[in-house]
Amino acid sequence: MPPPSDIVKVAIEWPGANAQLIEIDQKKPLIAIIREVCDGWSLPNPEHYTLRYADGTQLYITEKTRNEIKNGTILRLAISPTRAARQLLERIQSSGLDSRLDALKELAKLSADATFATEFINMEGIFILTLLVESGTNFGEMLAFTLTAFLELMDHGIVSWDMISIAFIKQIASYVNQTTVDASILQRSLAILESMVLNSQSLYKKVAEEITVGQLIAHLQVSNQEIQTYAIALINALFLKAPEDRRQEMSNILAQKQLRSIILNHIIRGNRPIKTEMAHQLYVLQVLTFNLLEERMMTKMDPQDQAQRDIIFELRRVAFDAESDPNSSSSLEKRKAMYTRDYKMLGFVNHVNPAMDFTQTPPGMLALDNMLYLAKVHQDTYIRIVLENSSREDKHECPFGRSSIELTKMLCEILQVGELPANEGCNEYHPMFFTHDRAFEEFFCICIQLLNKTWKEMRATSEDFNKVMQVVREQITRSLSTKPNSLDQFKSKVRCLSYSEILRLRQSERMSQDDFQSPPIVELREKIQPEVMELIKQQRLNRLCEGTSFRKISNRRRQDKFWYCRLSLNHKVLHYGDLDENPQGEVAFESLQEKIPVADIKAVVTGKDCPHMREKSALKQNKEVQELAFSILHDPDEALNFIAPNKYEYCIWTDGLNALLGKEMTSDLTKNDLDTLLSMEMKLRLLDLENIQIPETPPPIPKEPSSYDFVYHYG
């Protein structure tokens, strides 16, 4: 009979004593449980003690968090947070260096716990830590643990960052500005400065005065990716909190210091894979950089501003200057007529006064900037696009001006120009934008050529303009999703995504999604699914009958010893045994000395619930090994422990064992196999219904005939 839900079975440790195995009644006050535990070891003053988790972060257990305790958890009796905070505070201020170092080390670990942090902060603990840093007498490990504890305590949000002194900021900044400093100290100093900037506008100003951008960029050229990540995070924080009028100035300084090329060469194209946090910081930097375009994007053109009108004249001059005679003495009316004709050929909506086309925001003046960049930097491409369209029939010409304005607006939407960076879960940075100083303009130049190409492929007219823009958006977003490493790679990918390819992809996706959602199809799928699951089950059991070689892993080091396990052909016994070497094929049943009847198997457990994961701390800390671990619990109270050679074998064995026990197969491999086989079977069965509309509801049953006397008798 299972225990009541309010009863939790745990083990509680105390140094130098045997562990107590007790049942915790969650309805009983925590202090009463602690008193019983103390009585078991004859410890006086139970109010001086509390319970903590023995593994992981070793958090304190409170009345609020006690419901998170699971069956089989190992707990530890420890001194209460109040006593621990008081003792550590005394040891931190002691004269003995060894005692102080041990205290700071313990403090750095305990500070992650909110219960302890509250007690320590209430005893002016943060003030003591800031004094230790300001004194400048701590170095090496002692300073690293001090900064770690300080950062952990501040992250709880119990006290305001505004209480930090100028002396403390200067001391932390000095560690960042030094050319040689211990990596752990530098990492924590960068993290503290980032938190200061993000959490206080007044501290932003003070940090900005102390930190040199040049020194931050120097930290990006080290081999330690953690240092690089925190350095970019601080640059992003300074960028984000800077007043709008200072951001462009800061961007210019970063450009002069070659920030983009340093990130490209030392991080994106570095020897180490980019971790999730680094990817997020690169995404934030990308967003903040593109947000500098927001001012131009939201600036309307002033039709009376001669400098702005000159830009439009320049676009016309580059495209048509060779055709016109600059020395012509034609009348004003003729020149106006010629300009109107040329502006129409350039594809502006307003032929008489094209400046009016740029009064819509977004994209405002940013569209004109892009057009001028194309005309100046890629002049041959610009002239080709304009002249190519001006020589087409009127109904098939692609309006360059209108297209450029709408395309710029679309690119701003895709890249979310003007929006704040998303939370830490987002890491959608694009390496190609770090390969060019004018990445947005180059991006536009590639996309306007794509738009012109797609327009021709679709044989579009002016009525199809919105339809063409939808296709171009899809071409761009699909190509961006592949994360091209350079603008040239992006250009190649969008060229491959022709209009016909987009149609093919749309049709394929529609077949795999929309058509399979109607009630008759869903009903057919539900009918087929048990057959497919039975097929997968038979495949898993057949693989267990073939058997697998498993490597033995000790607690100290990896050893080249193997053992083999396979299921009997009648699915009733598991045979296993040790091997001298890794076998090349199946191992005969006769070679496997040990066996377990399937009827004796009580359960299959995985991951950290496995006995060998709980026993061996080295394996427990190895996440990759833990993900491949599973155990068979069998009578009498024994376990057969496995560590699969790879994820595929792990899924095969856990599925097969669950199938033997009559349980559901829940692995990712089963889900993928089920989706693949179901999709194939559905398509095969629906082949005869191709191009036939399947009704949402079954046709109505006809009324009963008035008479059933309609049988024909052959004479």
Side-chain angles (χ1 to χ4, degrees), residues 449-513:
Q449 294 177 70
L450 169 69
L451 192 154
N452 196 52
K453 171 175 169 285
T454 303
W455 186 282
K456 286 189 288 185
E457 290 173 349
M458 294 177 66
R459 296 189 56 78
T461 62
S462 57
E463 287 80 12
D464 301 318
F465 186 85
N466 291 335
K467 184 180 177 183
V468 174
M469 296 305 294
Q470 288 173 3
V471 174
V472 170
R473 175 186 282 269
E474 191 170 339
Q475 290 169 317
I476 293 169
T477 52
R478 284 182 184 272
S479 300
L480 282 177
S481 66
T482 63
K483 294 287 187 77
N485 290 319
S486 66
L487 289 162
D488 286 338
Q489 275 191 22
F490 172 76
K491 191 173 184 179
S492 300
K493 288 183 182 297
V494 291
R495 282 187 175 279
C496 294
L497 275 177
S498 61
Y499 177 55
S500 58
E501 178 65 11
I502 290 292
L503 290 179
R504 188 192 67 78
L505 289 169
R506 284 177 176 178
Q507 185 176 5
S508 173
E509 290 168 1
R510 201 177 299 119
M511 278 295 294
S512 61
Q513 294 173 9

Side-chain angles (χ1 to χ4, degrees), residues 293-324:
L293 302 170
E294 184 182 11
E295 183 182 352
R296 293 294 283 173
M297 181 182 78
M298 300 308 293
T299 301
K300 293 182 179 181
M301 185 171 186
D302 181 1
Q304 307 305 318
D305 189 320
Q306 188 58 42
Q308 295 179 0
R309 290 164 62 88
D310 286 345
I311 299 176
I312 298 177
F313 290 146
E314 181 65 12
L315 290 174
R316 180 202 159 275
R317 186 195 67 76
V318 173
F320 304 117
D321 195 36
E323 298 179 9
S324 61

Side-chain angles (χ1 to χ4, degrees), residues 573-588:
V573 179
L574 277 172
H575 298 264
Y576 65 98
D578 292 343
L579 301 174
D580 294 330
E581 58 183 15
N582 196 13
Q584 298 303 314
E586 290 184 15
V587 176

